[in-house]
Amino acid sequence: MRFGVVRFPGSCDEVDAVLACERVPGASAQLLWHGDPDLHGVDAVVLPGGFSYGDYLRAGAIARFSPVMESVVAFSRAGGLVLGICNGFQVLCEAGLLPGALLPNVERRFICRQVNLEVAQATMPFTADCSAGELLSIPVKHTTGRYYAPPEVLDGLETHGHILLRYAADGNPNGSTNDIAGVRNEAGNVFGLMPHPEHAVDPLTGSVDGLKIFSSMAHAHG
Amino acid sequence: MTTRARVLVRPKAGILDPQGVAVERALPALGFEGVGNVHVGRLIELDIEDPSQLEAMCEKLLANPLIEDYEIQAQRPDADG
């Protein structure tokens, strides 16, 4: 299993994402440059956290037009696994690969704290190594993380089980609709979440729960 | 000839606008009473040769139509009088 982590100008969590992927037994990871449309044959793509292109205009709005994103879109249409973390989630929403959008936090502040996430769906390929209802301790750090989707879209997400992670009871840090922390696309191969699983892979920082997202992806790949 | 254009981008009605709320709460603290319905958006100004492209520009990049409304104001320089 070979992960490719995209580095946009302004990304800041791509190195942590590479290190997290490499902690999965049998997996390797490499950086992909935003200006290079070649995905170098990776088996899964990770769009990392940060402030791609300065997040000018709207978070993720300009990154979606970078050369690598055309390839990522084609890769996802062909069934390739794509994980978007924080800014990567925003990019996937802007690119139309995931439904909805991320709005400024209700409290208007940058939030940086450990949160509990409830696994709403323990399914291949992103959360199969978790169990349904399990709590994952993973940090969030963002200003624009309030998930929003129009009511009719939201109904579909709920009905079809596309919401994989929710902020656990009374722990919604940003005002996300229905406590949504992470959603997948209809086909199931694209997943975006605001919390940072790549920052929860070492006991030194308090939790290794984030590793389950990366290991689930590796297991799904086989 | 280019046209000077302005694009106003606003949070869509019905979606909570925390910036607007913050400004609305700050004004009375400065003694400005009787202010309501405050929303904070973006103003984008540009010179453009073909203003018919503005709508597509808004749909693709300048606004996110899922969460924002946009209004195009375009005026040819010779129309200024």
Side-chain angles (χ1 to χ4, degrees), chain A residues 57-58 64-65 100 108 146, chain B residues 16 18 22 42 60-63:
Chain A
L57 202 59
R58 290 180 309 279
R64 71 171 273 215
F65 296 108
R108 305 180 301 281
R146 176 167 45 114
Chain B
L16 177 65
R42 268 195 314 279
K60 282 191 84 171
L61 177 64
L62 301 183

Side-chain angles (χ1 to χ4, degrees), chain A residues 11-134:
Chain A
S11 291
C12 56
D13 298 323
E14 74 277 23
V15 174
D16 273 23
V18 165
L19 294 173
C21 293
E22 287 175 341
R23 287 194 173 228
V24 177
S28 63
Q30 67 181 90
L31 288 172
L32 301 173
W33 181 239
H34 75 106
D36 179 4
D38 188 349
L39 298 183
H40 298 275
V42 298
D43 302 306
V45 172
V46 179
L47 303 185
F51 305 85
S52 55
Y53 293 87
D55 276 349
Y56 296 133
L57 202 59
R58 290 180 309 279
I62 298 178
R64 71 171 273 215
F65 296 108
S66 67
V68 76
M69 281 307 294
E70 264 183 50
S71 307
V72 171
V73 170
F75 179 76
S76 73
R77 297 256 153 85
L81 296 185
V82 180
L83 172 69
I85 301 167
C86 195
N87 191 227
F89 185 13
Q90 295 160 342
V91 173
L92 290 174
C93 287
E94 284 282 340
L97 292 182
L98 287 174
L102 283 313
L103 292 162
N105 299 340
V106 162
E107 298 295 332
R108 305 180 301 281
R109 294 191 196 93
F110 178 77
I111 301 166
C112 181
R113 75 168 88 118
Q114 200 77 11
V115 296
N116 280 324
L117 303 175
E118 186 179 331
V119 178
Q121 304 285 335
T123 49
M124 295 266 264
F126 296 102
T127 50
D129 285 1
C130 313
S131 39
E134 179 183 355

